[in-house]
Amino acid sequence: MKKLLLTLTSTIFVALSSQAVADSSLPSIIDYQSSHHPTVAQNGMVVTRQYLASRVGRDILQKGGNAVDATIASGFALAVVLPVAGNIGGGGFMLVHDAESGETVAIDYREKAPANAHKDMYLDSDGNVDRQKARFSYLSVGVPGTVAGFELAHKKYGKLPWKDLVEPAIRLAEDGFVMNWDLASKLERRRTHLSQAEATKQVFYKSDGSTYKLGERFTQPDLAWSLKQIQQHGAKAFYQGEVGEKLVAAMEKHGGIITQQDLMSYQPSIREVIRGRYRDHDIVAMPLPSSGGVHIVQMLNVLEHFPLAELGSNTAKTIHLMAESMKYAYADRSKHLGDSDFYDVPVEWLTSKEYGSKIAKKISLDKVTPSTDIQPGVPSASESPETTQISVVDQWGNAVSNTYTLNYSFGTGLVADGTGILLNNEMDDFSAKPGTPNGYGLIGGEANAIEPNKRPLSSMTPVMVFKDGKLKLVTGSPGGSRIITAVLQIISNVIDHDMNIASATHTPRFHHQWLPDVLFVEKELNQDTVDLLETMGYKVKRSSTIGATQSIQIEDYIYGAADPRRPNAEATGY
């Protein structure tokens, strides 16, 4: 048996098995990786935002499961222990790398608009967007894709039986887990929102309406029932069986428009990945309806024209160059991007070296370009803050980068009666009215307008990086519109600045999305640097945390880094 390599943390390390944590009388355990040393393993690594889910995935690897098996098991577990983002009522994107064939594929299980959706469904009598209806009503729910996506991945790549992958989530829902500080505090802060619907209130609060306290055991019997149905009948339970029937009944009762036919018609898609090249590294990313893959490649094509390594990490000039590239990308996002099954998106042009060079020539090392002076590019005639990331590498070299979401924290805040399943509000990711910002301040156009059966544009950006044909980096992040820029900075920190994955993760981040014309920076960024940026002409605003990347770096060993920007995240391997 190969030697077990223990997690490296800062000054104190507590080693507990997942069973010990689940049964512990301690209030909670928050396993921050506060040093810049990554977690190290020889055989396999799982990185998620919640330690119980990470350990579920690790256990699956130890039982002989592969990266896809571990991702699915962790994904179902996150639906139980991280209800702000983990889900079976949402959707997402999965990159799968098959080490034996060398193939990397994209599985798109993004939600779809119901068949009865239409372009003006969220506009009031004055033609303005009704934000409550678009974000927090049964009308804001897209047809969920998570269960179908997981089943497709399992049928194509899985190794262990499906029932073994769902079982840990059932145990966590049925037997419960110890309430940690992060979830307890979120439930307290969101009490008003999550108590508006009786079904949601019954799931997340006690019978007297009080909040679960730190250290108390939290069970979810209705969710356990739903998971058992999925374990026994697979995706059919959700899309044609009893779970789906309850979801449709909730829609009919509360004014939603998802029908049984919408569920039965849902199909995930296998798509060709987006590819790029940056300083001798091959970038493989999620294609549309992810905007992230297109714009990661686009921004890297711009940045390769500048000596970022010489300028240094997080210096004013490096931040300036990256912010300028971000502005051009987000301007293009506002016009050109949407579901490529419905709209002819000029992907080849947007990701071309020629277009990257054209943008680079517009960028000055010393001068800020106002966002008002940047417009979406014109091709030639020939052409969520709450989301969660799972990164896995197994003993055979297979890898998964999976990002999935409910959109906002706890999605709509609505649970389908009797299922324990929180419902997404992904319909807000469409352009409810072209030119009007969505909940993340993103501007969209006709390409992302609401249409029946269409998938909304997403910022979710699972990415893999290769060098000389060998996998080097697996990463992704939550963070709504900030996902793309967080992932960009991880890639640059590793390639340009030669950081290990923990240092790349800990480095303070920044974000610019064209409109509003504001450079957001994390509070830890050096004040002298901020002063220089303001002198250059940037409107700088100190921000809360940007993203929460979950990453794996492969060198002599497998190195994992869970982002300390979110409590309870963990990289765990064996």
Side-chain angles (χ1 to χ4, degrees):
M1 181 182 293
K2 292 186 177 181
K3 182 181 179 181
L4 175 65
L5 296 175
L6 296 178
T7 303
L8 295 172
T9 61
S10 54
T11 55
I12 300 175
F13 174 66
V14 181
L16 295 173
S17 71
S18 56
Q19 185 63 39
V21 171
D23 293 342
S24 174
S25 60
L26 295 172
S28 67
I29 178 172
I30 299 175
D31 188 5
Y32 290 107
Q33 290 182 296
S34 54
S35 78
H36 285 216
H37 297 293
T39 301
V40 188
Q42 286 182 315
N43 297 322
M45 179 73 68
V46 180
V47 191
T48 81
R49 186 178 146 185
Q50 218 286 349
Y51 61 90
L52 291 174
S54 293
R55 295 172 190 189
V56 163
R58 177 202 60 195
D59 292 347
I60 290 295
L61 293 181
Q62 288 181 312
K63 291 176 182 177
N66 62 20
V68 168
D69 293 327
T71 299
I72 293 168
S74 292
F76 280 125
L78 283 166
V80 181
V81 300
L82 190 71
V84 295
N87 72 85
I88 56 178
F93 301 135
M94 184 186 298
L95 287 182
V96 180
H97 176 64
D98 184 331
E100 183 176 358
S101 67
E103 177 187 44
T104 304
V105 302
I107 299 177
D108 171 7
Y109 60 97
R110 179 73 160 149
E111 301 88 339
K112 286 187 175 182
N116 290 326
H118 58 88
K119 183 177 179 180
D120 300 329
M121 63 187 290
Y122 300 124
L123 302 186
D124 61 21
S125 57
D126 296 323
N128 298 316
V129 177
D130 183 333
R131 301 191 187 283
Q132 176 67 25
K133 187 184 290 186
R135 298 174 189 174
F136 302 115
S137 75
Y138 280 84
L139 282 174
S140 64
V141 184
V143 181
T146 294
V147 180
F150 282 3
E151 184 176 83
L152 174 62
H154 181 257
K155 286 181 176 179
K156 186 171 176 62
Y157 296 105
K159 193 166 181 280
L160 296 184
W162 174 261
K163 65 181 180 62
D164 292 355
L165 309 183
V166 188
E167 183 64 27
I170 294 173
R171 297 275 64 81
L172 286 165
E174 193 164 57
D175 300 339
F177 61 95
V178 176
M179 180 64 67
N180 57 64
W181 171 85
D182 182 46
L183 182 54
S185 62
K186 281 185 169 61
L187 291 175
E188 181 59 41
R189 290 199 305 271
R190 297 277 182 157
R191 174 194 292 275
T192 300
H193 175 56
L194 295 176
S195 296
Q196 293 179 26
E198 187 61 31
T200 309
K201 184 178 179 181
Q202 289 177 4
V203 170
F204 293 109
Y205 301 95
K206 298 178 183 179
S207 57
D208 63 359
S210 62
T211 309
Y212 286 90
K213 303 298 181 184
L214 190 67
E216 293 182 335
R217 187 164 292 276
F218 177 50
T219 61
Q220 299 169 77
D222 284 348
L223 184 55
W225 173 84
S226 294
L227 287 164
K228 287 178 181 178
Q229 295 295 311
I230 293 167
Q231 181 188 47
Q232 183 176 354
H233 303 292
K236 185 176 180 180
F238 190 91
Y239 297 93
Q240 300 178 43
E242 292 186 50
V243 178
E245 290 173 2
K246 292 194 177 205
L247 192 155
V248 171
M251 287 286 154
E252 294 173 348
K253 179 179 178 181
H254 300 290
I257 58 173
I258 293 178
T259 65
Q260 188 67 55
Q261 186 59 47
D262 285 321
L263 292 178
M264 293 176 65
S265 299
Y266 182 88
Q267 293 291 331
S269 297
I270 295 179
R271 301 188 184 276
E272 187 175 343
V273 297
I274 293 287
R275 295 184 181 274
R277 187 152 177 88
Y278 183 66
R279 307 197 201 280
D280 299 324
H281 291 74
D282 294 307
I283 311 299
V284 177
M286 191 71 202
L288 291 165
S290 164
S291 60
V294 170
H295 290 318
I296 286 288
V297 172
Q298 178 184 352
M299 290 185 288
L300 291 174
N301 285 344
V302 174
L303 294 173
E304 70 180 1
H305 292 272
F306 301 97
L308 299 191
E310 295 176 20
L311 295 173
S313 169
N314 272 9
T315 61
K317 286 193 174 182
T318 291
I319 292 173
H320 161 63
L321 292 170
M322 296 183 76
E324 293 286 282
S325 73
M326 293 171 187
K327 286 190 279 186
Y328 280 97
Y330 279 82
D332 283 333
R333 186 188 194 279
S334 72
K335 179 177 181 179
H336 295 301
L337 297 198
D339 185 345
S340 56
D341 290 342
F342 285 73
Y343 187 81
D344 188 15
V345 180
V347 173
E348 185 175 347
W349 165 70
L350 286 167
T351 59
S352 69
K353 294 292 186 182
E354 292 76 16
Y355 185 50
S357 177
K358 182 178 179 180
I359 294 173
K361 290 175 182 176
K362 298 179 181 179
I363 297 175
S364 165
L365 268 174
D366 304 304
K367 184 180 178 181
V368 176
T369 308
S371 290
T372 52
D373 292 347
I374 296 175
Q375 298 300 318
V378 179
S380 62
S382 60
E383 193 43 53
S384 144
E386 288 296 349
T387 298
T388 195
Q389 169 71 20
I390 306 169
S391 296
V392 183
V393 171
D394 66 26
Q395 62 180 311
W396 300 284
N398 304 306
V400 171
S401 179
N402 182 89
T403 316
Y404 73 154
T405 188
L406 291 167
N407 198 21
Y408 291 0
S409 180
F410 298 100
T412 55
L414 302 171
V415 166
D417 306 64
T419 67
I421 297 173
L422 276 164
L423 300 173
N424 70 81
N425 51 5
E426 291 296 352
M427 292 294 287
D428 185 57
D429 274 358
F430 282 114
S431 299
K433 181 180 181 180
T436 299
N438 71 359
Y440 296 104
L442 290 171
I443 304 293
E446 291 296 332
N448 193 38
I450 300 170
E451 295 182 56
N453 302 311
K454 188 178 183 180
R455 301 179 197 265
L457 195 61
S458 173
S459 295
M460 292 185 290
T461 312
V463 171
M464 295 182 185
V465 177
F466 298 78
K467 187 175 183 181
D468 299 327
K470 296 180 180 179
L471 181 64
K472 291 295 182 181
L473 178 66
V474 179
T475 191
S477 179
S481 61
R482 302 176 177 199
I483 291 173
I484 304 170
T485 55
V487 171
L488 175 72
Q489 287 165 79
I490 289 289
I491 295 170
S492 179
N493 286 342
V494 171
I495 295 177
D496 290 312
H497 306 298
D498 199 26
M499 295 184 189
N500 70 47
I501 194 57
S503 294
T505 300
H506 284 255
T507 299
R509 295 183 185 137
F510 51 91
H511 170 78
H512 205 304
Q513 62 182 53
W514 179 52
L515 295 175
D517 195 355
V518 176
L519 177 61
F520 297 94
V521 301
E522 289 186 332
K523 296 175 182 178
E524 294 75 15
L525 188 67
N526 184 286
Q527 184 60 47
D528 290 342
T529 302
V530 171
D531 291 342
L532 287 170
L533 290 164
E534 289 178 333
T535 300
M536 292 177 71
Y538 282 103
K539 181 180 179 182
V540 181
K541 183 176 180 179
R542 291 285 186 179
S543 171
S544 58
T545 57
I546 294 174
T549 56
Q550 313 298 334
S551 307
I552 298 173
Q553 185 178 22
I554 302 94
E555 296 294 342
D556 48 344
Y557 291 101
I558 305 169
Y559 300 90
D563 201 321
R565 291 169 178 80
R566 296 289 193 276
N568 300 312
E570 182 176 84
T572 182
Y574 78 105

